[in-house]
Amino acid sequence: KAHLYDGSTVVFPGGINVHDGKIRGQGEKFDVALENNKFIDEIALEEIAAMESFQTPVNVAATTAASTVGTAGWLALGGLAALALFGSCPTVYSADAGDPILEAELFSYSIAPSFQARDIDRLGLKSVQDGHFVLDFRNEMLETHYIDQLEILEVSHTEDQVAYPDSTGHPIVVGATVAPVRAVDQDGRNILPDVTSADGRVWSATSNRLANVGPNDFHDSLEFEFSLPKDSGEVALVLHMRNSMLNTVLLYDVMLKEQSFAALDWMGHDLGHFGNRAELGLWYREHMGMTVSIWRDGKFRKVGRIGDQGPIAWSERAFVLDAPRGDNLKIRLSFVADNWRIDQVGLAIDTQRGEVRTIPVSTAKSLQEHRPDIPEYLAQPDKTYLITRPGESVQLGFDVGESKQSRTFFLVSEGYYMEWMRSEWLTEEHRGKFEPTSDALMQSLSLYAQKRDTYRQQFESIKVPVR
């Protein structure tokens, strides 16, 4: 699909050829209202704001649902296509006293149909009125969202307990959380003030550290020491964190921009092949995310991994640990340099699995229009998608009922998104298909170091307006 600056859309179901500044193919052009179509066989590259690869849904009902959600507000691109920064997947908001509160970003790294994945996020809802609450699901970037399933998990617990999602995506309940008695980075710098409480003062790598990464030294490592209370039971490392913008640079500047038009094939076709998908997935798992190690028998031993969470919303995760030995516990976190922003690190005691109640979507509304058909699309991960485009949003309600007991809600989602190729990316010289190598990672780190101080501020200030 080619999205033009004048608000129209051209669909090329049979693909395109690019030559002499023009895109050629058997295309069908629609106006701003997605009506009044006509057939064309070429358009000038200078007319294009963005392009996307798309899949024809097997289930026709999914297409019908998508065409009636929201409006054509995403078409009013103007100069925005040259400014919007990050492919972020759906962002979810709740409301408190009328002000939207960012709750979560969904399946952040599901960048193609073959990477569709389940995600779970802890909601920070402060109140539930009359046993019902509403979440606003927005598409604030230049991308198309394919949401396959949404549901709420409810975990009840005592007032002095807290619930978190663990590293496998299952809610757990913990008792008290203790702060580390020692916390240092790989240079021995005391970072306790940055990570003791979730106060907005966060840890990040120093500029000097980022300037000195190399092929044989591109990891950060943080070490924490905890004093173990007596009779602490099963314990879990609890983190309040989000990713830096490094993954944004990797996706945009290295994976997509350098492939130019070939990135449309890469996302829509190449990653559908098992070999390509496995190669990229294994490479990403090896290099990104966060490795957790504990000190045992004279050295740090790897005990597991926490996957990337996304750079927009703060995320909370609990990593359950084997029964520790002795009076203290040493933990090391290691990851690609500056890939994380860490606000709080703690050790939760008396950890146990939570009893879960599942709550489906009960109501849906888009642009003040009630949509009784949407909850059915989101009930199961069955490839009947709710599809949203830039600038669209849908408000989904959940009937959770009244309760005198303390409870925590988790949002479970499944789906993927397709990035729109910006016009300036399409004019780049094609440098070949993306290869998941150490060179690609080093290139990303180099580009990221040049822009990290301003990149997030740009992102926060430039979003597609949601109507």
Side-chain angles (χ1 to χ4, degrees):
K1 293 181 183 178
H3 303 288
L4 309 190
Y5 281 111
D6 64 6
S8 59
T9 301
V10 184
V11 179
F12 296 95
I16 58 172
N17 290 302
V18 185
H19 184 65
D20 287 342
K22 292 185 177 181
I23 293 176
R24 295 181 171 89
Q26 294 182 345
E28 189 173 3
K29 186 175 182 179
F30 300 84
D31 63 14
V32 174
L34 299 181
E35 298 174 348
N36 301 320
N37 61 307
K38 64 179 181 179
F39 294 96
I40 63 174
D41 55 19
E42 69 175 28
I43 52 175
L45 185 55
E46 63 188 21
E47 298 179 58
I48 299 174
M51 294 192 73
E52 63 171 316
S53 176
F54 71 97
Q55 305 291 315
T56 302
V58 175
N59 190 322
V60 177
T63 305
T64 303
S67 66
T68 55
V69 175
T71 69
W74 57 276
L75 291 162
L77 295 173
L80 186 63
L83 299 174
L85 291 173
F86 179 67
S88 62
C89 69
T91 42
V92 183
Y93 294 81
S94 63
D96 185 39
D99 297 324
I101 299 172
L102 178 61
E103 292 281 356
E105 55 184 302
L106 311 183
F107 42 83
S108 297
Y109 299 98
S110 301
I111 61 172
S114 57
F115 282 94
Q116 176 168 319
R118 180 183 184 271
D119 197 9
I120 181 170
D121 294 277
R122 182 178 185 264
L123 299 177
L125 298 172
K126 296 181 179 179
S127 63
V128 176
Q129 296 183 351
D130 300 323
H132 183 85
F133 65 79
V134 175
L135 297 176
D136 188 10
F137 293 76
R138 301 181 182 181
N139 186 332
E140 300 181 284
M141 299 297 155
L142 296 183
E143 56 202 26
T144 301
H145 299 160
Y146 297 80
I147 308 174
D148 199 2
Q149 183 189 27
L150 288 170
E151 63 185 13
I152 293 293
L153 302 183
E154 177 199 83
V155 176
S156 297
H157 49 79
T158 62
E159 189 174 347
D160 60 348
Q161 292 178 316
V162 182
Y164 298 101
D166 68 11
S167 57
T168 66
H170 192 282
I172 64 171
V173 176
V174 306
T177 299
V178 297
V181 295
R182 176 176 173 270
V184 297
D185 65 10
Q186 64 185 34
D187 297 321
R189 183 171 60 108
N190 177 31
I191 62 171
L192 266 178
D194 298 331
V195 301
T196 300
S197 61
D199 55 7
R201 177 178 178 177
V202 303
W203 175 87
S204 63
T206 63
S207 298
N208 182 66
R209 170 68 193 123
L210 197 57
N212 287 283
V213 296
N216 298 317
D217 180 22
F218 57 86
H219 284 94
D220 282 330
S221 61
L222 309 179
E223 294 183 11
F224 304 90
E225 185 172 348
F226 296 91
S227 295
L228 289 173
K230 292 183 178 180
D231 303 321
S232 58
E234 193 171 46
V235 301
L237 181 71
V238 175
L239 298 164
H240 186 255
M241 61 192 176
R242 68 182 179 190
N243 286 106
S244 71
M245 303 298 282
L246 173 60
N247 273 292
T248 308
V249 174
L250 172 61
L251 175 63
Y252 274 21
D253 294 313
V254 179
M255 288 184 174
L256 300 183
K257 185 177 180 180
E258 291 204 350
Q259 293 190 77
S260 187
F261 276 96
L264 294 168
D265 277 342
W266 183 71
M267 288 185 290
H269 179 266
D270 295 356
L271 291 179
H273 291 284
F274 176 78
N276 296 332
R277 183 169 69 251
E279 182 184 26
L280 178 61
L282 290 172
W283 174 81
Y284 192 89
R285 181 179 177 85
E286 178 183 357
H287 289 94
M288 308 306 285
M290 178 186 295
T291 298
V292 181
S293 303
I294 62 173
W295 181 265
R296 182 169 292 171
D297 299 328
K299 67 177 184 179
F300 280 104
R301 300 179 183 273
K302 178 180 176 179
V303 294
R305 174 184 176 275
I306 299 173
D308 287 330
Q309 302 297 308
I312 302 175
W314 289 101
S315 178
E316 294 170 299
R317 284 291 186 274
F319 187 90
V320 179
L321 299 166
D322 292 337
R325 308 169 186 171
D327 298 326
N328 66 346
L329 177 64
K330 295 181 181 179
I331 299 174
R332 172 184 286 173
L333 304 178
S334 56
F335 42 86
V336 171
D338 207 43
N339 189 36
W340 291 92
R341 296 289 178 267
I342 301 177
D343 194 18
Q344 184 179 23
V345 179
L347 189 70
I349 62 176
D350 295 327
T351 300
Q352 54 188 290
R353 292 178 71 88
E355 294 294 329
V356 174
R357 181 169 73 100
T358 302
I359 303 162
V361 177
S362 58
T363 63
K365 184 171 66 174
S366 177
L367 281 180
Q368 310 306 316
E369 177 188 6
H370 289 283
R371 292 293 309 278
D373 56 321
I374 287 179
E376 182 179 354
Y377 294 124
L378 301 175
Q380 301 291 335
D382 54 7
K383 311 300 183 184
T384 53
Y385 296 99
L386 169 62
I387 306 175
T388 66
R389 300 176 178 85
E392 294 182 347
S393 68
V394 59
Q395 293 76 49
L396 302 179
F398 301 87
D399 291 322
V400 298
E402 301 282 359
S403 177
K404 296 181 179 180
Q405 193 172 3
S406 297
R407 52 185 177 171
T408 300
F409 298 104
F410 300 84
L411 176 62
V412 173
S413 59
E414 185 167 327
Y416 69 94
Y417 67 96
M418 295 294 286
E419 197 62 54
W420 289 20
M421 292 292 294
R422 318 305 194 245
S423 58
E424 70 272 21
W425 299 354
L426 299 175
T427 58
E428 285 287 314
E429 177 186 355
H430 172 48
R431 297 185 177 92
K433 296 288 187 181
F434 172 74
E435 297 291 339
T437 64
S438 296
D439 288 342
L441 183 57
M442 294 307 303
Q443 181 184 2
S444 301
L445 281 164
S446 177
L447 292 170
Y448 168 71
Q450 299 171 28
K451 60 177 71 177
R452 79 156 182 170
D453 293 335
T454 59
Y455 207 40
R456 181 174 294 279
Q457 183 178 358
Q458 285 180 278
F459 163 73
E460 295 292 348
S461 64
I462 302 172
K463 295 180 181 178
V464 177
V466 172
R467 297 176 60 187

